Amino acid sequence: MSFLSNPSEGRTWGRYDCRVPGCGAEIASKSGLTQHTNRVHRRIIRSRRFHQPAPASVPSSVPPPPVQHHSQSLPVRQPPQDPQDHSPPRTSSPPSFDFFLPYKCPPITFSSASKCNVHGEYVSPSSQPDLPPPRSPSDWFPFNNQVEFETADLLYRRVQMSATHIDALLAVWGASLTKEDGSELPPPFLDHDKMYKAIDKIEHCDVAWETFNVSYQGPRPSQNIPTWMDGKYDVWFRDPREVIKNILSRPDMKDDIDLTPYRDYDEAGVRQYENMFSGDWAWDQATRISEDPSTHGATFVPFIMGSDKTTVSVATGATEYYPLYISPGNIHNTARRARRNAVALVGFLSVPKADESCADDPQFRHFRRQLYHTSLSTILQAFKPGMTQPEVVLFGDGHYRRVVWGVGPYIADYPEQVLLAGIVQGWCPRCLAFPDRLDDHALRRCQEHTEALIEEYHPGVLWSSYGIIANVVPFTNDFPRADIHELIAPDLLHQLIKGTFKDHLVEWVCRYLKSQHTRRDYKKIMADIDRRIAVAAPFAGLRRFPQGRGFKQWTGDDSKALMKVYLPAIENHVPDGMVRAVRAFLEFCYLVRRNTLTDTDITALQRALDSFHHHRESFRDFGVTLSLPRQHSLVHYIYLVQQFGAPNGLCSSITESKHIEAVKEPWRRSSRFNALGQMLTTNQRLDKLKAARVDFAARGMLNSSVLPRRLRMLQTLDAQDSSQDTQHAEPNTTNGLQVYEPVSCSVQATEEQEEPEVDGTTITAEVNLAAKSNTQRARDFDALAAEISVQNIRRLTRRFLYAQLHPDITRRTARSVRPQDLPNLPETLRVYDSAVSIYRAPSDLCGSGGLKRERIRSTPLWRNEAPRNDCAFVVTRPDVDGIFSMEVARILAFFSFRYEGCVYPCAVVHWYNWDGDERDENTGMYVVRPSMTASNSRHVEVVHVDSLVRGAHLLPVFGGQLIPKDMKCYHSLDSFEAFYVNRFADHHAYELA
């Protein structure tokens, strides 16, 4: 086999020889070799297959007759929700297209996700789904009524109440309820056992848990046999195919599924990458599948997998579990990230352990590796027949479709990527770059190349020259169209946020300062950096570090929060090149974490990566190693975006957040003795309750009006619970004057609570005052003037009202109007402590529709500490594009008044001026300064709340001065002369500023 490399495209070409004895065929491409093997030698067992292929089972479907192809030119293709509606009706054979796409895309034929009946016979695209007989709206089986269901859902799923407490609550409940005639009214359940039995009878998501065990069968020593060789290792799983089918059949998912791969272009012809089916990988897979006539009209459904060991108890023996998760690949990224139960737990892998004497035994290490791959292959065998012969599956829209399964990307951290790819620690699982020169141009790994090397070279040569562990057989070898080196997903959490930023850049800065200063000066500078981080002004959703960044228990959220405030904190303490290296990395990180990336974004990504690689050389002279696997992974991100779409839908933060509800919380609810079986039962019941709620909601049965008055709050609690699940946010539904308590995030870090999710997708941006005014604050203009120290507030408000009554004049003109011409104001007003901004930010923690709610505060007392007056972006020049269509202002007060029957919501703002038209060269952020009048007083004005866009976060330009030890975060906006407009506060701010 010979290979040629084109570095500009990162592709590999060559001549591929069929390795089946006696064949001798020469294939021009890798995909052609796979197709040749699958077609001609389908029954031949390859020597390195760990399992023999299962017999091919033909589903009960009618094979389609020959297909007639139709040509259609699509200059701009948007992903249709129902692709088959664009094809001519056909009742016996599926419609198919040859899509000729512009921009040098080759002609391609792929399946069209045609509708069929339960027997696999294709039906007209306009046919209605053959739905089962509707259940009665009063059919709450296995519950008697909504009260029973809501009670079980509240106590078991949301509150997670123990059995003892459930019995106590039900006893108190029963004693307090009486009928109208004075007789006792029984509670919804007599005890916890009755409630558990009702949950177990729910028919939805009833996929039973199964188990198999694996034992070592290799050579053994004659004496002193290690204990691990005699052990039996249990693997628990449930049928992953049935789990995926349950997700696909959910009515609430019907609008979040792509039925066919697509290539999305905007009006300017710029390609966009978002969900996995917008990338090249799904397109290429569907193309290969469509070459078999028996698959025409089928729907390609790849499954995404993820696994990661987690420790549930360190103090009691480091109890570890190895959960395995699965999700359909054609589910939209927002649905997967929003934790709408689109990611399901399907197994617990075994964690073999040995004593210290055997921990480094090569036989044990090999057994541990192969146990992992054997377990995955065994669990996924249910998919194998449907990877070549379509299987009939019900979708959430009520229609059946013929489905072809496929192994999709695998979400894993670097140590597990090494295990998956069967390579040596320190090497890249995607390319052949040497560990000490990882950023050199190198060929990408592929299964065929690895197999050829194993046949030709000694295992020692493979280990040292290629980083290949010869005796590891990846689980993907057992399935068609699967190459583990292609399927390793990008990992934003561990590779970028916790890896490159926290483990590398932050550590490199500390290492530089330590090498350049005495021990005393080093500690002094580090203390100042910590104080700079601590004095960052409060901001909606911003995690604060009152003691700085010096703590041990780092989480992914801690790293994300530190990224937002770190850049100004190190400025003037380290050379400009190091500051620019951090800036370039942050720009790369914020670009690649967008919900949708375009070819233009990819160009910006490459530019940011080149800048990072250039400026990080500043660290080389201070004992740092630049050849690091997690940091090296950045060079593959552009290719991975083009293959799999936006990486935020494949991040390990999705599976790690699933650990909480799938592993850690069920473990805490267990008796700690033989806990796994109890955890499986808990997960089964949780899935049943979630599925029952989806079913009842789809049937329109969850109506709060049917609940007794005392239980109507259950609907509100459920809405709050749903918003808490969305995007891993910690929601807060309080309004007006209610007190917001800090949320404990780690020993030193606190985070302001996020607002609940927002449904819908039509709102671009709007700002409204809080639901309730603060009756404890000023009730007239004189009292407000004294409260906020703006003595001319009445005159400013009259000018504001004049401008509102005369919309054709400008703000500047309104300032010159004579006082006697200004309208008179009412005597009373209402003052509010906050306003709520709703805007579209699909890349941030948001609702599944992409809308985010943010609270902008202006209150005289925040958390019983000090006043808080947030800043905001205010539109002042709507005719100008970009950031300079807005100005930054600090909100001194929110109030409203009524004039001639109309209510005017207002904000008293102190303006900031832009300091130049360019960003700061080191930090990449714009600088603003407080605006002052000729008399050196604050430039204050009253504006309409509608002119506000969203909150703005300002970070001080610290200069070379050290921060006083007694300075607090609420002193920040009053203590400095210049501020950076923090574009790294969140993704929406990054795009806005």
Side-chain angles (χ1 to χ4, degrees), residues 77-97:
R77 181 165 189 245
Q78 303 293 338
Q81 291 224 341
D82 203 357
Q84 55 272 26
D85 289 342
H86 298 273
S87 59
R90 194 177 289 266
T91 57
S92 59
S93 62
S96 180
F97 296 95

Side-chain angles (χ1 to χ4, degrees), residues 637-928:
Y637 267 60
I638 291 177
Y639 172 75
L640 293 175
V641 168
Q642 295 169 333
Q643 289 293 104
F644 300 128
N648 65 5
L650 298 173
C651 180
S652 60
S653 61
I654 298 174
T655 54
E656 287 209 353
S657 65
K658 191 74 175 176
H659 286 345
I660 298 174
E661 62 178 270
V663 182
K664 296 186 177 181
E665 289 179 350
W667 185 83
R668 297 187 191 111
R669 297 171 68 170
S670 71
S671 66
R672 312 296 200 273
F673 177 72
N674 290 334
L676 183 56
Q678 302 169 55
M679 293 162 60
L680 300 179
T681 301
T682 299
N683 275 284
Q684 187 93 343
R685 289 170 176 166
L686 292 174
D687 288 346
K688 285 174 174 286
L689 285 169
K690 292 177 183 178
R693 178 167 291 279
V694 170
D695 177 62
F696 293 148
R699 290 155 54 192
M701 298 170 61
L702 296 180
N703 185 358
S704 60
S705 62
V706 305
L707 290 174
R709 185 174 182 180
R710 302 178 188 179
L711 300 181
R712 289 181 185 175
M713 282 301 293
L714 289 175
Q715 295 292 323
T716 304
L717 289 172
D718 182 66
Q720 295 179 17
D721 182 70
S722 299
S723 63
Q724 181 172 357
D725 284 345
T726 300
Q727 294 292 332
H728 330 314
E730 188 121 9
N732 192 338
T733 57
T734 52
N735 294 310
L737 304 177
Q738 296 190 17
V739 177
Y740 288 69
E741 296 296 336
V743 180
S744 176
C745 300
S746 65
V747 178
Q748 286 89 358
T750 59
E751 178 180 17
E752 185 175 333
Q753 295 178 340
E754 294 281 355
E755 294 296 314
E757 67 172 348
V758 185
D759 294 329
T761 58
T762 57
I763 299 175
T764 302
E766 71 174 26
V767 179
N768 297 297
L769 295 179
K772 297 180 181 179
S773 62
N774 189 341
T775 58
Q776 306 287 325
R777 298 183 64 180
R779 303 301 298 271
D780 56 57
F781 284 96
D782 293 336
L784 181 60
E787 181 181 309
I788 64 176
S789 300
V790 178
Q791 299 305 318
N792 60 342
I793 184 65
R794 185 182 293 273
R795 177 164 50 88
L796 295 175
T797 307
R798 292 176 67 192
R799 286 180 179 172
F800 158 79
L801 181 58
Y802 183 87
Q804 293 294 310
L805 298 175
H806 301 82
D808 54 329
I809 69 170
T810 63
R811 289 168 49 207
R812 186 179 297 275
T813 304
R815 295 173 189 168
S816 61
V817 176
R818 297 180 304 173
Q820 57 268 31
D821 295 333
L822 297 175
N824 294 320
L825 297 175
E827 293 299 324
T828 61
L829 52 79
R830 292 187 175 188
V831 180
Y832 299 80
D833 285 341
S834 64
V836 176
S837 172
I838 300 176
Y839 53 88
R840 205 172 147 65
S843 300
D844 291 307
L845 304 182
C846 59
S848 58
L851 297 183
K852 179 179 180 180
R853 189 194 310 263
E854 176 186 82
R855 194 168 292 272
I856 308 170
R857 304 186 185 278
S858 179
T859 176
L861 187 62
W862 171 249
R863 290 179 175 170
N864 298 321
E865 290 182 324
R868 173 171 170 180
N869 299 99
D870 290 346
C871 297
F873 291 106
V874 185
V875 176
T876 55
R877 302 171 63 188
D879 55 325
V880 177
D881 294 331
I883 186 64
F884 294 112
S885 65
M886 299 175 288
E887 294 183 49
V888 177
R890 190 176 183 187
I891 311 299
L892 303 182
F894 288 112
F895 71 95
S896 69
F897 63 90
R898 182 180 294 274
Y899 181 81
E900 293 184 353
C902 183
V903 176
Y904 292 89
C906 311
V908 186
V909 300
H910 173 206
W911 294 109
Y912 286 74
N913 294 330
W914 297 103
D915 189 12
D917 297 337
E918 301 293 334
R919 294 190 179 98
D920 178 73
E921 292 184 356
N922 290 335
T923 62
M925 293 185 279
Y926 289 105
V927 177
V928 295

